[in-house]
Amino acid sequence: MGRLKKAVFITFEGTEGGGKSTQIRKAAALLRRQGRRVLLLREPGGTRVSEAVRAVLLDPKNKGMRPEAELLLYLAARAQLVFEKITPALSRGVSVILDRFEDSTRAYQGFGRGLSLSAIETVSRNWVRGDLKPDLTILLDIDPARGMARGGRHDRMEKESLRFHRRVRQGFLKMARRNPERYEVIDAALPIEEVARLVKGRLERVLR
Ligand SMILES: Nc1ncnc2c1ncn2[C@@H]1O[C@H](COP(=O)(O)OP(=O)(O)OP(=O)(O)O)[C@@H](O)[C@H]1O
Ligand SMILES: [Mg+2]
């Protein structure tokens, strides 16, 4: 589909404070050293429309948001990002590293909130990402209490209970077990440089 061979699509997932932002910077530097062009994006966000939706989603004042409304807003932000940024970049041969993608929706709104995973799949396939699929998903796995103790943004999602975040974590682990060819699960409690070494190992296998 016009997607050049060299461009890869990598997503980073996991609960809060696992080190996604930290490791994404290192992964991007690695890809660039190899002469690849790289676009870094975060979800929700990355376009004007998606950043506006992000502000609504993460604002702690929006306490009364229904899970269904939350789900649709995340998907709306993603649809805009896929059409406006991700697909065009990949088809120009630019690799994309994305801080959260559809697995976060499955984990938070599916496993966390209890919304239907098959409904998420149907809407996503039809309206959000088509058949776009990451070449690799790095799951930075950590106990949510430990991740959140690393500091945090105190946004609307972070204010959810520890039980909620533990369901989310288990959801991520379940998806990783079901999709081992796409997933790399890394113990995010390890030191930053050790996590980076493990990310690099799997990344190099995918890039080859
Ligand atoms: N492996 C690690 N060991 C100890 N501290 C870490 C590790 N990785 C990241 N940190 C620190 O933990 C904090 C959170 O890291 P970072 O922002 O990269 O996580 P994140 O997954 O992007 O979080 P969020 O979900 O809030 O965006 C930062 O202060 C970072 O320096
Ligand atoms: Mg981050």
Side-chain angles (χ1 to χ4, degrees):
M1 297 214 311
R3 177 166 164 186
L4 300 181
K5 200 175 166 202
K6 264 188 83 181
V8 287
F9 177 33
I10 315 282
T11 61
F12 281 71
E13 298 279 7
T15 51
E16 270 76 1
K20 295 181 297 302
S21 303
T22 307
Q23 297 298 332
I24 281 172
R25 283 193 294 274
K26 290 175 179 291
L30 175 73
L31 262 60
R32 286 180 177 133
R33 279 199 301 278
Q34 298 185 341
R36 290 167 193 270
R37 288 175 294 160
V38 181
L39 179 63
L40 289 187
L41 295 165
R42 69 166 181 188
E43 279 214 26
T47 73
R48 184 186 170 84
V49 167
S50 315
E51 288 289 336
V53 174
R54 177 188 181 91
V56 174
L57 278 166
L58 299 185
D59 187 345
K61 283 191 241 107
N62 290 333
K63 285 190 204 65
M65 195 185 298
R66 293 279 311 167
E68 294 81 357
E70 177 182 285
L71 169 65
L72 293 167
L73 286 171
Y74 274 109
L75 295 179
R78 179 170 308 129
Q80 188 70 32
L81 182 68
V82 167
F83 287 107
E84 195 177 318
K85 295 277 176 76
I86 300 177
T87 303
L90 292 172
S91 57
R92 279 186 285 120
V94 175
S95 294
V96 175
I97 303 182
L98 187 50
D99 187 335
R100 298 192 178 283
F101 189 51
E102 192 169 315
D103 293 329
S104 277
T105 306
R106 296 193 184 102
Y108 284 82
Q109 283 70 47
F111 291 92
R113 305 266 191 236
L115 295 177
S116 157
L117 289 166
S118 69
I120 293 171
E121 169 62 24
T122 301
V123 177
S124 294
R125 182 166 17 82
N126 284 299
W127 287 345
V128 182
R129 51 86 182 144
D131 50 20
L132 179 69
K133 189 180 155 193
D135 297 300
L136 171 66
T137 298
I138 302 281
L139 175 58
L140 297 175
D141 178 57
I142 192 164
D143 179 71
R146 188 154 174 194
M148 282 189 278
R150 286 177 173 172
R153 301 178 313 266
H154 307 293
D155 61 35
R156 200 176 55 84
M157 297 306 285
E158 280 202 3
K159 287 194 182 320
E160 280 296 330
S161 68
L162 203 50
R163 277 183 51 213
F164 172 83
H165 287 283
R166 292 203 161 122
R167 282 199 300 279
V168 173
R169 180 193 191 190
Q170 292 310 319
F172 277 125
L173 289 169
K174 196 165 183 176
M175 288 185 276
R177 281 195 298 273
R178 284 183 188 160
N179 301 280
E181 69 300 332
R182 172 166 70 89
Y183 257 97
E184 181 74 19
V185 183
I186 295 176
D187 178 2
L190 292 168
I192 290 178
E193 291 310 321
E194 181 61 11
V195 174
R197 198 182 61 78
L198 294 167
V199 172
K200 182 168 181 246
R202 178 67 187 250
L203 209 47
E204 282 175 340
R205 272 197 281 150
V206 172
L207 297 173
R208 235 178 266 140

